[in-house]
Amino acid sequence: MESMDRYPEAQEFITADAVINDVVDNEVANGGIVSPDSIANEVAERSEVLTEDQKILTQKYITCIQGFTHGAVIKTLEDGVGGMYDGSVFIAEETIRIGSSVQSTIEQTEETMAHEAFHKDHLHTQEYITSPLADEGAFVVIGGEEFSREVFIEGLTVLKTGERYVSADYRNRMNLVLNSIYKSDVSLDEVVYASKSHDLTKIDDRSRKNQKHYNMSC
């Protein structure tokens, strides 16, 4: 354990926030990539100097960090980016730093992790079966609304994993997806299934229109 000289002399005034943020800053220094367990273990060790009420806060934080799955790692990301999935799951250093409170940071971290885990579980970096008309226009059309790949995938992900800690732009994408479903004759479950199966022809207005025409002709 490091010397207590690095902390204020009045040990009773050391806070969970200060200990956690010091650990995060040191662990992810110089653009490094660290495991959630490394953060959790260091916070647990440092929390020995805290008062009991502050230890309770650090334990809640540790439980959150140790609950990470999907092989997520912590690293510094661009400003405003809380997490990223590019085949691997990354959670931003800033996401797990304490801001207004330990509890709000836990909630933000859990929502961010759910968002990135949804990307991974649904293989969002892989190719999709799309309407033959997709090459000439939108990635998918639902309820008359045309979507690019990014807007559709991010909007659906926010819809399924939470909107409290995302940007206004991401909330707008979520609302576009939700409103398009309301205007269509497909359900949210059908949209999620089509996305997960990577066959968007099942929900695309253009493909469904052609299929209906074919069925009527038969």
Side-chain angles (χ1 to χ4, degrees):
M1 181 181 295
E2 296 186 19
S3 168
M4 293 302 103
D5 291 343
R6 66 177 295 154
Y7 296 110
E9 291 182 5
Q11 297 294 321
E12 65 270 20
F13 294 114
I14 298 174
T15 64
D17 299 35
V19 170
I20 291 169
N21 286 345
D22 189 57
V23 169
V24 171
D25 290 344
N26 288 331
E27 288 285 313
V28 197
N30 301 318
I33 297 176
V34 299
S35 71
D37 279 342
S38 179
I39 299 284
N41 291 339
E42 187 68 11
V43 170
E45 184 176 352
R46 299 277 194 88
S47 67
E48 291 302 315
V49 302
L50 300 178
T51 57
E52 288 305 313
D53 61 328
Q54 294 298 301
K55 283 182 180 179
I56 290 172
L57 291 176
T58 58
Q59 186 54 55
K60 289 181 178 180
Y61 180 87
I62 289 166
T63 299
C64 169
I65 296 297
Q66 288 180 328
F68 278 5
T69 55
H70 304 275
V73 294
I74 312 300
K75 68 176 294 187
T76 301
L77 298 176
E78 294 179 11
D79 288 346
V81 178
M84 181 177 71
Y85 175 68
D86 63 0
S88 299
V89 175
F90 298 96
I91 302 299
E93 170 193 2
E94 279 301 309
T95 297
I96 67 168
R97 290 186 90 260
I98 308 302
S100 59
S101 71
V102 172
Q103 185 57 38
S104 65
T105 298
I106 289 172
E107 292 170 358
Q108 180 173 1
T109 299
E110 290 176 341
E111 182 178 295
T112 302
M113 189 60 208
H115 185 106
E116 303 310 329
F118 190 85
H119 282 317
K120 181 171 183 178
D121 290 344
H122 288 242
L123 304 174
H124 282 164
T125 59
Q126 296 188 9
E127 293 302 313
Y128 286 79
I129 300 171
T130 58
S131 164
L133 298 175
D135 290 339
E136 303 173 7
F139 179 62
V140 65
V141 180
I142 305 172
E145 187 75 43
E146 297 184 355
F147 291 94
S148 67
R149 176 178 179 131
E150 182 181 2
V151 170
F152 171 71
I153 288 176
E154 291 297 348
L156 181 61
T157 301
V158 172
L159 183 57
K160 294 299 294 181
T161 62
E163 60 175 294
R164 184 174 180 183
Y165 294 100
V166 300
S167 66
D169 179 50
Y170 271 43
R171 289 193 194 97
N172 183 54
R173 296 178 185 189
M174 176 196 72
N175 288 329
L176 284 173
V177 171
L178 189 58
N179 290 336
S180 73
I181 293 172
Y182 285 152
K183 293 185 294 183
S184 74
D185 59 353
V186 297
S187 67
L188 174 58
D189 285 344
E190 288 176 308
V191 172
V192 172
Y193 179 79
S195 175
K196 190 166 187 177
S197 66
H198 284 225
D199 185 357
L200 300 185
T201 62
K202 301 178 186 299
I203 58 170
D204 194 306
D205 290 358
R206 297 163 297 186
S207 302
R208 290 168 62 81
K209 180 179 180 180
N210 290 339
Q211 184 63 39
K212 287 179 180 178
H213 178 74
Y214 173 77
N215 290 338
M216 290 177 66
S217 297
C218 292

